[in-house]
Amino acid sequence: MAELLGGESLRERWQDHDLCQLVTATPVSLARIQAAPQIAFQEGASHGGDALVERGAIVLDTTDSATKRLASAPEEGDPTVTLPATFDVATHAEEAGVWQGYSRLADTALSTRQARYLLFARALAEAIGINRDIYWGEATADAWTDGRTRIVVTDSAVTSRKRTVWTQDLFLTLCHEAAHDRSDKSRTAHGRRFESRFRELVEDPEVRAAYAELVTAVHDRGFQPVFRERGVSLG
């Protein structure tokens, strides 16, 4: 970092370049870091850190080499780098209401409405080629995944009881979680790689056609006949 920011001209040249990294794996410039009222450094990611970044906070990942050097600059007495005050990630996450608890519900424990949502989500996952088991659960997040075998959806994923809305909600939620290739319980990992995978899924003509076909089938024949035809069930 000192090599890049060792003089006024170099500092001006590099401060707008995305040299460092947020805990969401998103590059960030020194100018943006220095413009923040407060920042935090964290080794690796966490759900709380990711959630704060999504709320606009600057939480920097010191597993990135350039970010680690930036974090150590004040301790080393580097006069070329001035940083904002730091905050504690865990404390701010708690103040922001970021709950880090996750609970998967048994199919038999679901309400009638939750069971319908879950069955639709299972039918949808099969239709659009998401090869993960689908469950219902409780958490602050709309859903979570282990990145390989399962996706757990929660009530907050559904924004309306209108069928045209909640079916779209579940479509976007499943695509979102399928775009994660690792667990997002400890981190949400909404970096560029995630965004690319998510867009590919949502914009895929075959995926959209399969979703539309399922919604049309439910509209024409009702939920239970379609669920039976597609072999989805509870338990």
Side-chain angles (χ1 to χ4, degrees):
M1 189 60 61
E3 292 88 338
L4 295 179
L5 302 175
E8 188 67 31
S9 61
L10 284 176
R11 187 158 60 247
E12 292 177 356
R13 181 185 306 170
W14 289 102
Q15 67 179 357
D16 292 322
H17 289 252
D18 293 336
L19 299 176
C20 296
Q21 183 169 289
L22 299 173
V23 291
T24 53
T26 304
V28 62
S29 69
L30 179 62
R32 184 180 167 198
I33 293 169
Q34 292 178 316
Q38 288 184 307
I39 62 173
F41 291 99
Q42 180 172 281
E43 185 175 1
S46 68
H47 181 74
D50 277 27
L52 290 176
V53 170
E54 292 187 347
R55 287 164 169 79
I58 298 293
V59 183
L60 297 153
D61 184 0
T62 56
T63 61
D64 171 69
S65 59
T67 306
K68 184 175 182 179
R69 293 169 68 185
L70 178 66
S72 64
E75 298 175 3
E76 296 172 355
D78 186 344
T80 65
V81 180
T82 303
L83 297 176
T86 58
F87 64 84
D88 180 72
V89 172
T91 300
H92 273 231
E94 184 177 354
E95 292 172 351
V98 179
W99 179 50
Q100 300 198 44
Y102 295 82
S103 177
R104 198 181 92 190
L105 300 175
D107 287 1
T108 54
L110 302 181
S111 68
T112 300
R113 191 172 298 278
Q114 288 172 325
R116 175 173 291 179
Y117 295 156
L118 177 58
L119 288 171
F120 180 84
R122 286 176 174 171
L124 178 58
E126 183 175 347
I128 64 179
I130 296 176
N131 297 317
R132 300 184 197 180
D133 295 329
I134 312 298
Y135 302 98
W136 208 261
E138 294 178 338
T140 302
D142 292 345
W144 74 90
T145 181
D146 64 355
R148 297 176 293 104
T149 63
R150 72 179 67 89
I151 292 172
V152 185
V153 185
T154 74
D155 288 348
S156 61
V158 177
T159 61
S160 171
R161 291 190 175 185
K162 294 181 179 180
R163 183 192 302 172
T164 55
V165 178
W166 68 254
T167 53
Q168 177 77 358
D169 288 339
L170 292 178
F171 170 68
L172 293 174
T173 298
L174 290 184
C175 288
H176 178 114
E177 295 305 317
H180 286 293
D181 60 0
R182 53 185 168 179
S183 173
D184 61 353
K185 287 179 69 175
S186 60
R187 67 173 299 168
T188 50
H190 293 154
R192 292 179 178 177
R193 185 173 63 174
F194 162 82
E195 293 293 345
S196 176
R197 288 195 299 267
F198 177 62
R199 284 197 304 272
E200 286 176 2
L201 271 173
V202 171
E203 296 172 3
D204 187 321
E206 293 185 2
V207 168
R208 297 189 69 84
Y211 163 66
E213 181 182 357
L214 175 60
V215 170
T216 300
V218 166
H219 176 77
D220 292 344
R221 301 196 299 280
F223 286 104
Q224 293 308 319
V226 172
F227 293 158
R228 284 196 298 269
E229 289 170 10
R230 297 182 178 240
V232 295
S233 61
L234 300 175

